[in-house]
């Protein structure tokens, strides 16, 4: 792997250097973006984080409502409270995963990485909690599934922008939801009003590991033309 592919891995607070890193080609950022859970406890400068969030909110959103919000968590007590929620959920989810797929080497590597994050969650310098303003859906009301996909579809493009910006500047980032499994506790930790709904959590820090290319199933295996099982697309652009 070349240094260009692995990208910058050193901390910076220099605005000129941040802008230089953000000039990374889009194809390279997309092809080498991966979940980076192991990060250093070193601080992330506010200006670097602000620049990533500025790019996050450039994303499209349903009806251009821009009804999102981002809670930036640096407080150690709040991180510890989320860590406790993470460990409770992971004790169940991780246990099931080990029983079902623990013998698979790729799964074992992922689970080891998640375990590291669970064990060191309080030391992660920044947690970003993307939220939706407008309140959760009406409980127990029968709604088609498209309601949920439309609702969350208004913020996940912004989350992806945040992940791509982090990748370009060299921050390690991941998208997780287990610390939010108890929405009641999440609301208490963040003092959220009922009109604001936490969606996911993005831990950020300068990486211990590196970004890089990863194995993905091929397009011919995944794409169906006109109908399920209806063939595949032609060859890619050279």
């Amino acid at each position: 792997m070349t240094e260009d592919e692995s990208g910058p891995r050193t901390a910076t607070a220099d605005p000129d250097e941040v802008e230089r890193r953000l000039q990374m080609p889009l194809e390279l950022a997309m092809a080498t973006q991966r979940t980076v859970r192991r990060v250093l406890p070193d601080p992330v400068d506010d200006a670097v984080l602000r620049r990533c969030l500025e790019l996050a909110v450039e994303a499209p959103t349903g009806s251009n409502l821009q009804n999102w919000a981002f809670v930036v968590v640096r407080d150690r007590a709040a991180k510890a409270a989320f860590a406790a929620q993470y460990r409770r959920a992971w004790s169940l989810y991780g246990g099931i995963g080990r029983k079902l797929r623990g013998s698979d080497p790729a799964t074992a590597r992922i689970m080891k990485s998640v375990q590291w994050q669970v064990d060191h969650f309080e030391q992660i310098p920044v947690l970003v909690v993307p939220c939706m303003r407008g309140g959760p859906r009406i409980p127990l009301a029968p709604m088609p599934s498209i309601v949920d996909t439309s609702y969350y579809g208004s913020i996940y493009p912004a989350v992806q922008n945040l992940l791509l910006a982090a990748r370009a500047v060299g921050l390690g980032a991941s998208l997780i939801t287990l610390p939010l499994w108890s929405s009641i506790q999440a609301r208490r930790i963040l003092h959220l009003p009922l009109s604001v709904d936490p969606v996911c959590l993005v831990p950020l820090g300068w990486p211990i590991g590196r970004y890089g290319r990863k194995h993905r199933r091929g397009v011919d295996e995944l794409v169906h033309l006109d109908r399920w099982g209806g063939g595949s697309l032609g060859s890619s652009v050279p």
Side-chain angles (χ1 to χ4, degrees):
M1 178 182 297
T2 67
E3 186 60 30
D4 283 344
E5 286 188 333
S6 64
R9 286 176 281 148
T10 55
T12 184
D14 179 11
D16 292 335
E17 173 63 12
V18 169
E19 294 304 315
R20 185 191 70 78
R21 293 182 181 186
L22 286 172
Q23 299 307 305
M24 174 179 287
L26 178 60
E27 189 277 337
L28 180 60
M30 294 169 67
T32 59
Q33 181 192 15
R34 60 168 56 175
T35 296
V36 177
R37 298 183 181 90
R38 295 183 177 92
V39 297
L40 298 167
D42 303 1
V44 175
D45 189 79
D46 278 354
V48 178
L49 181 58
R50 181 185 182 91
R51 190 70 182 96
C52 291
L53 288 168
E54 285 174 349
L55 293 170
V57 298
E58 290 291 340
T61 180
S63 301
N64 198 31
L65 290 175
Q66 303 178 53
N67 55 335
W68 45 38
F70 301 84
V71 182
V72 176
V73 179
R74 295 189 188 275
D75 179 71
R76 189 174 179 86
K79 287 189 284 186
F82 275 122
Q85 297 300 311
Y86 199 176
R87 286 166 189 146
R88 290 190 187 100
W90 179 243
S91 66
L92 173 63
Y93 183 81
I96 294 173
R98 289 186 184 94
K99 289 181 180 179
L100 295 179
R101 298 189 60 193
S103 61
D104 175 61
T107 301
R109 286 193 298 271
I110 293 172
M111 297 191 72
K112 184 178 179 181
S113 176
V114 175
Q115 188 64 59
W116 188 99
Q117 188 178 64
V118 169
D119 292 340
H120 297 83
F121 205 66
E122 293 92 334
Q123 287 83 50
I124 295 174
V126 181
L127 310 176
V128 177
V129 186
C131 303
M132 290 290 289
R133 291 185 290 114
R137 274 74 59 236
I138 301 172
L140 304 180
M143 293 284 185
S145 60
I146 197 67
V147 172
D148 281 336
T149 59
S150 298
Y151 181 75
Y152 292 114
S154 275
I155 193 166
Y156 273 113
V159 175
Q160 175 66 350
N161 269 18
L162 175 60
L163 294 171
L164 285 171
R167 189 268 171 272
V169 300
L171 284 170
S174 57
L175 192 165
I176 61 177
T177 55
L178 287 181
L180 301 179
W181 269 25
S182 172
S183 60
I184 294 174
Q185 290 299 322
R187 290 180 181 281
R188 288 175 178 171
I189 294 167
L190 299 175
H191 297 189
L192 294 179
L194 289 177
S195 60
V196 176
D197 198 15
V199 173
C200 61
L201 197 150
V202 180
L204 291 167
W206 298 108
I208 294 173
R210 64 171 69 193
Y211 285 105
R213 298 186 185 270
K214 61 275 179 187
H215 174 72
R216 286 290 184 264
R217 294 162 65 187
V219 168
D220 288 339
E221 182 182 354
L222 302 173
V223 175
H224 305 261
L225 185 60
D226 293 329
R227 63 187 184 280
W228 191 266
S232 60
L233 296 173
S235 59
S236 59
V237 177

